[in-house]
Amino acid sequence: MADAAAEDSRPRRKGDKGQRRPRRARKERERGKEAVWAAVCPGSRPARHVIRWLRGIEALPEYQLARKDLKKNIRQFAQVLAQCPGFDPRSMTIMPLWERLQERYGYPKSTLISYMKRLHEWGVLGTVAKGRTAQFTPKSSGRNENEAAIYVLLERVAIDPVEKTWSPVPIRAVNNPPHTLREEDSKLQIEASSPLASSRRAAARLAVNDLMRSRKEPFWSPTTPQTAMNKDGRRAAERQAAAECQFRFFPLRDISTAHVAALIRPFLRAGWTVNDVLHALDNRPTTNARYHHDGATGVGNLGAWIKHRLRPWIRPDGTFYRSPSQKSESARIQHDAERAAFNARRAQALAEVQAERGTRTAQAGTGWRETYAAAFAAGLEMSQARGQR
């Protein structure tokens, strides 16, 4: 009883909300199928080989859209994890030690924790058993040393290999030329559009399509210019405006939202709106004539095509032509000013007319008797003045 009471009085590790965490599995069951599959997140499975695990990380959309330095660090960190001494090829589990990772990788522990968390979020790494100090080791196990955490290497499961997109896949009909009629029959061939040039563009397209599908309200008002004063506010507004442009003009979905935001950023900072940018992509600035091609098909480099369409809206001195919304706003201000001046002139004319009418009314208010008496008195005064002379 004394031993049981002493065991119950030992400190227990608690969770975030004061609840006790589940006890770590026994040593002989830590890398069993039940423990490993309990750590597998939805949409993943234990990797079949280390090489497949490394290639699966490089094929992730999140990895493709990351910066070059982050991709390099993640690749090196994954290779170091795959070479851990505690690797079990049967269960695809690893038991890394922070001190050894720091020695081989050369980065601080905080950086390694952030990379480990990133791999967990990407669904390529699962926690089978968390680390445990000797203080929390059960006495029945007979061990009094610290135990390292155990992780399982995961790979994504391709549920639907067909890319789902709102953008229609353009097709083109190709007829065999006349000189090939002797070799083979002339048949109508329907070919799909050429595939994406790189996995990075494919990952960007998938991310944009997911963003478009999750849209429940406009990312940015198409008639409102961005007026943020700080850098972070401007960047966030430009990303939202770029996402709204991609939703309203589907050829822009072939590149990432950040790329679109970088291309239209000078125009947004010049006071343009989303509708203005879309108008500039379809119309010329001088003649206001509409282009015959909308960029849905036959465009290899969409970024260069956007630059080509927006370049005529920039003057030779580097300033921008007025956008349609700026023209309508200036026309409205001019109309309001002209209307205010017209109302002022009209009020002044009415005041003058009313004043003149008041004078005439005052003169017409005296009767003929009063007018005759006044004239008679004036005549008497004039005669008396002559007599005195």
Side-chain angles (χ1 to χ4, degrees):
M1 295 295 293
D3 296 341
E7 185 177 355
D8 294 338
S9 62
R10 297 175 61 191
R12 296 295 181 186
R13 185 176 300 177
K14 296 185 178 181
D16 298 335
K17 298 183 179 179
Q19 300 177 357
R20 292 189 178 182
R21 295 181 179 178
R23 185 184 294 272
R24 178 168 173 160
R26 293 181 179 271
K27 193 72 174 179
E28 58 274 7
R29 300 179 181 176
E30 285 179 345
R31 306 196 181 192
K33 291 184 178 181
E34 296 182 0
V36 171
W37 279 97
V40 176
C41 58
S44 302
R45 67 181 179 187
R48 297 183 180 180
H49 197 272
V50 178
I51 301 300
R52 290 193 58 171
W53 181 67
L54 296 175
R55 292 177 179 175
I57 294 177
E58 296 179 356
L60 292 175
E62 296 86 351
Y63 180 86
Q64 295 292 336
L65 296 176
R67 301 190 311 270
K68 291 184 178 180
D69 55 345
L70 180 59
K71 292 167 63 175
K72 178 182 177 182
N73 296 337
I74 290 291
R75 189 187 308 110
Q76 293 179 358
F77 179 70
Q79 292 175 356
V80 171
L81 282 181
Q83 298 173 4
C84 288
F87 172 68
D88 182 16
R90 294 184 302 174
S91 60
M92 295 303 296
T93 55
I94 58 175
M95 186 183 292
L97 300 177
W98 294 111
E99 294 78 6
R100 188 166 299 179
L101 288 178
Q102 295 180 26
E103 292 177 0
R104 298 192 61 180
Y105 194 67
Y107 281 83
K109 185 177 180 180
S110 59
T111 304
L112 301 180
I113 293 176
S114 65
Y115 290 162
M116 190 79 72
K117 182 179 179 181
R118 192 180 294 269
L119 293 179
H120 276 83
E121 293 176 352
W122 291 355
V124 294
L125 195 67
T127 304
V128 178
K130 296 185 178 181
R132 183 169 59 186
T133 60
Q135 182 182 4
F136 299 96
T137 304
K139 286 187 175 181
S140 59
S141 62
R143 296 187 301 272
N144 56 359
E145 68 276 1
N146 300 336
E147 297 179 351
I150 299 178
Y151 304 95
V152 57
L153 307 181
L154 304 176
E155 61 180 358
R156 293 278 187 88
V157 179
I159 301 176
D160 188 3
V162 180
E163 179 186 350
K164 295 182 179 180
T165 175
W166 285 4
S167 303
V169 179
I171 59 175
R172 60 178 183 269
V174 180
N175 288 321
N176 295 330
H179 66 274
T180 61
L181 296 178
R182 297 185 300 269
E183 301 177 0
E184 58 182 0
D185 298 335
S186 178
K187 298 181 180 180
L188 185 65
Q189 301 176 359
I190 303 297
E191 299 179 357
S193 59
S194 58
L196 296 175
S198 64
S199 58
R200 183 180 179 87
R201 289 189 60 186
R205 187 173 181 179
L206 288 174
V208 170
N209 291 331
D210 293 340
L211 180 64
M212 296 298 107
R213 280 193 292 266
S214 63
R215 179 183 183 270
K216 297 182 180 179
E217 59 182 8
F219 299 109
W220 187 263
S221 176
T223 59
T224 303
Q226 66 93 10
T227 57
M229 302 301 296
N230 55 350
K231 180 179 179 180
D232 296 337
R234 287 195 301 268
R235 289 298 176 90
E238 290 162 0
R239 283 293 282 270
Q240 295 174 0
E244 188 65 20
C245 289
Q246 289 178 311
F247 179 80
R248 295 175 178 270
F249 192 63
F250 75 89
L252 301 183
R253 301 178 193 177
D254 289 339
I255 59 178
S256 63
T257 305
H259 193 182
V260 177
L263 294 174
I264 66 176
R265 179 175 296 123
F267 297 88
L268 295 179
R269 295 187 179 182
W272 284 39
T273 62
V274 172
N275 288 341
D276 296 334
V277 174
L278 299 181
H279 177 83
L281 291 176
D282 286 337
N283 299 272
R284 295 178 175 87
T286 54
T287 60
N288 202 23
R290 189 176 182 87
Y291 290 105
H292 300 289
H293 190 266
D294 59 354
T297 57
V299 178
N301 190 343
L302 190 60
W305 179 83
I306 296 174
K307 288 183 179 180
H308 172 72
R309 287 293 179 90
L310 296 179
R311 189 178 297 113
W313 290 83
I314 303 177
R315 294 191 179 95
D317 57 354
T319 59
F320 299 91
Y321 286 102
R322 291 191 303 170
S323 64
S325 64
Q326 293 174 343
K327 291 180 180 179
S328 60
E329 181 66 18
S330 61
R332 185 189 63 80
I333 295 175
Q334 180 69 18
H335 176 73
D336 294 344
E338 293 178 356
R339 188 173 184 83
F342 173 76
N343 292 335
R345 291 194 301 268
R346 183 179 180 183
Q348 183 179 1
L350 289 176
E352 293 177 356
V353 170
Q354 290 178 359
E356 184 178 357
R357 288 180 179 178
T359 304
R360 292 179 180 178
T361 303
Q363 293 179 357
T366 57
W368 64 271
R369 293 183 179 86
E370 290 81 1
T371 305
Y372 179 78
F376 183 75
L380 291 177
E381 292 178 358
M382 292 176 61
S383 63
Q384 290 178 0
R386 290 178 183 177
Q388 290 177 1
R389 290 179 184 176

